[in-house]
Amino acid sequence: MIPRHITGCLAQALADIPVVLINGARQTGKSTLVRSQEAVQKDRQYLTFDDPGVLAAAKRDPNGFIEALGSNTTLDEIQHVPELFPAIKMAVDRKREPGRFLLTGSANVLLLPKLSESLAGRMEVLTLWPFSQGEMAHQREDFIDTLFTEQVSWPSIREHKLQREEIFEKALVGGYPVVIERQEERRQAWFQSYLMTILQRDVQELSAIADLTAVPRLLAIAATRVGNLLNFADLSRTLGLNQSTLKRYFALLEMTFLVQLLQPWSTNLGQRVIHTPKVYLNDTGLLSHLLGLTLDRLKSDPALAGGALENFVLMELRKQGAWNKTQPNFFFWRTTSGQEVDIVLEDLAGRVVGVEVKASSTLGAKDVRGLDALAKAVGKKWIRGVVLYTGTETVPFSPNLHALPLPFLWTQLKINNR
């Protein structure tokens, strides 16, 4: 079993807060994690609502079900019984002890205000994404923490160099635990079955939908827009759905962790930036399945290669954000004059790092213009900018602006941080 880097965060949360929720897409390893002895106590009771009998008992009498549980209980796939949240709140208010309830969910309760508010101050939420590249290589990545270190001497990583094709191979596979063990043709069969289960079962359970074909079509079109601004008016015309229905369907894709939005960053509300989010998928293996991506297609289509690699980098950073000490918010930056930075990370102190992603193996001065412009816009809160690219050399453009080989994301680096 591949160890999950979030295990330590889970153990810490169980030690000091009554309710811990591990949420994330189906088949990312939530059930395996919460049943592992490395993460939880050996005597913890485990119940799953994928079991029809357990589900029926919980729905029949939510309060009685919770009252009958032991002191330390894991409830798997809690989204099937949302009526349990008020009962859990009452139980915690009567007896507040750390680690009393460990929950998992394949639907994002943070997008369900009534549910998340019912446990405000009583629950910590951790997100489990598909495997990171570091987890698969048994290396604990600290790239985000390094980015926010004031002074960094970036090393050479000649012993870990990857060719451009090898990097794209990793992106095409993605990180779903089941997928990384399969050959290419079997990956496609798994993703097809996986999406059918989510789109016809989970989505329908969250919100009754008359046209079951609309949501899969929306997901397929969202895949073609990866890394681009999400224009609901354009999508409405393409799918033949009104915008209110379209936005509701898109929210369901977000809720089941299939897609996510990246919001624009600005220094203030009055700045002239484009206030439309960009869209990404939760996994580049899923993206590859939906778009039929292959190494040959990526070689011949720079636009496809750039979008897939940007999605890959964003998700690797999001995964690392779960266990790095610095847990930044993620944005992008684009002005009406065309200046742009792919990914902007901002910590709680307002300090900013910019990350550009380039699918090419060579760079020029134009590739850092967006980072230079962002640095001027940020001012004193600017830490550094990096360009992650498919080349093999570390290139300094200035003391706080470097081009780095993309494997820096997951390689254990002996960084000289000061």
Side-chain angles (χ1 to χ4, degrees):
M1 185 178 73
I2 297 176
R4 304 308 301 260
H5 293 338
I6 203 174
T7 299
C9 303
L10 172 57
Q12 290 175 358
L14 289 170
D16 64 15
I17 197 162
V19 185
V20 180
L21 169 66
I22 302 290
N23 64 9
R26 278 192 175 272
Q27 297 296 315
T28 54
K30 299 185 299 297
S31 298
T32 300
L33 175 64
V34 299
R35 300 185 77 173
S36 67
Q37 294 184 4
E38 292 82 3
V40 300
Q41 305 96 321
K42 295 181 181 179
D43 59 347
R44 177 176 290 274
Q45 182 182 12
Y46 173 86
L47 295 170
T48 177
F49 295 116
D50 279 337
D51 182 322
V54 177
L55 178 63
K59 283 185 171 294
R60 175 180 174 275
D61 182 3
N63 289 318
F65 179 84
I66 293 298
E67 287 178 6
L69 296 176
S71 57
N72 293 317
T73 304
T74 296
L75 300 175
D76 203 1
E77 300 295 354
I78 190 71
Q79 78 279 354
H80 291 313
V81 202
E83 51 266 45
L84 283 184
F85 279 83
I88 292 173
K89 175 184 178 296
M90 292 174 58
V92 167
D93 288 346
R94 287 194 300 267
K95 185 179 180 182
R96 192 182 183 97
E97 58 182 21
R100 186 170 179 189
F101 295 101
L102 174 56
L103 316 176
T104 81
S106 298
N108 192 345
V109 300
L110 296 180
L111 298 178
L112 300 168
K114 290 183 179 179
L115 296 187
S116 60
E117 289 171 7
S118 68
L119 288 171
R122 305 166 180 85
M123 179 173 72
E124 182 169 338
V125 180
L126 302 173
T127 300
L128 187 69
W129 300 104
F131 283 131
S132 72
Q133 294 299 309
E135 286 175 322
M136 288 186 279
H138 301 281
Q139 298 179 154
R140 187 179 178 87
E141 310 99 312
D142 61 352
F143 188 71
I144 291 178
D145 285 341
T146 302
L147 287 177
F148 280 91
T149 302
E150 291 289 344
Q151 297 183 42
V152 177
S153 296
W154 296 103
S156 171
I157 54 169
R158 294 181 183 276
E159 68 274 20
H160 297 295
K161 283 184 178 179
L162 291 178
Q163 296 302 312
R164 186 172 185 269
E165 186 172 295
E166 293 176 293
I167 293 172
F168 279 113
E169 284 177 346
K170 290 181 177 294
L172 289 173
V173 173
Y176 274 96
V178 175
V179 170
I180 63 175
E181 300 172 352
R182 295 189 173 209
Q183 297 298 316
E184 183 176 354
E185 63 275 6
R186 295 301 302 153
R187 293 174 199 153
Q188 302 308 314
W190 183 85
F191 273 122
Q192 185 173 354
S193 175
Y194 175 73
L195 289 175
M196 186 180 300
T197 298
I198 293 178
L199 298 175
Q200 293 189 2
R201 173 188 170 184
D202 292 359
V203 167
Q204 189 71 4
E205 185 176 277
L206 289 167
S207 178
I209 294 174
D211 182 3
L212 285 177
T213 66
V215 178
R217 286 188 291 129
L218 176 58
L219 178 62
I221 291 176
T224 69
R225 306 291 206 274
V226 155
N228 293 305
L229 298 178
L230 183 64
N231 187 324
F232 277 110
D234 178 49
L235 286 177
S236 177
R237 289 189 295 270
T238 301
L239 288 169
L241 296 171
N242 64 63
Q243 288 198 42
S244 61
T245 299
L246 183 64
K247 290 178 179 179
R248 182 167 67 90
Y249 288 0
F250 195 89
L252 291 170
L253 294 178
E254 284 187 275
M255 203 176 298
T256 50
F257 295 94
L258 293 177
V259 303
Q260 60 179 276
L261 296 178
L262 191 65
Q263 300 295 334
W265 181 90
S266 64
T267 54
N268 58 67
L269 294 177
Q271 186 175 347
R272 292 182 62 210
V273 297
I274 298 172
H275 293 285
T276 304
K278 294 200 295 185
V279 62
Y280 296 90
L281 267 62
N282 77 329
D283 181 74
T284 46
L286 175 61
L287 176 66
S288 300
H289 167 74
L290 290 169
L291 296 183
L293 298 183
T294 63
L295 283 175
D296 288 339
R297 284 197 69 191
L298 294 179
K299 287 178 183 177
S300 63
D301 192 330
L304 272 179
L309 200 63
E310 188 177 322
N311 201 130
F312 178 65
V313 170
L314 174 64
M315 288 313 306
E316 289 301 307
L317 290 171
R318 281 205 181 276
K319 294 167 189 176
Q320 293 182 32
W323 60 79
N324 277 220
K325 291 181 180 178
T326 307
Q327 297 188 354
N329 291 311
F330 293 82
F331 305 92
F332 74 95
W333 187 66
R334 181 184 292 186
T335 68
T336 53
S337 61
Q339 297 168 324
E340 181 175 3
V341 172
D342 294 328
I343 305 169
V344 177
L345 291 76
E346 183 178 38
D347 70 5
L348 294 178
R351 300 185 306 157
V352 172
V353 167
V355 178
E356 275 283 277
V357 183
K358 300 296 180 184
S360 60
S361 56
T362 59
L363 298 173
K366 61 180 176 59
D367 294 311
V368 298
R369 288 175 184 167
L371 290 168
D372 280 333
L374 178 60
K376 292 176 183 177
V378 172
K380 294 181 179 180
K381 293 289 189 178
W382 177 252
I383 300 295
R384 67 173 40 82
V386 297
V387 181
L388 293 172
Y389 77 124
T390 58
T392 57
E393 300 298 331
T394 301
V395 182
F397 286 90
S398 70
N400 64 348
L401 181 56
H402 289 75
L404 305 175
L406 203 139
F408 267 51
L409 260 175
W410 61 84
T411 303
Q412 283 188 325
L413 304 172
K414 296 179 180 179
I415 297 289
N416 179 20
N417 299 333
R418 300 191 297 274

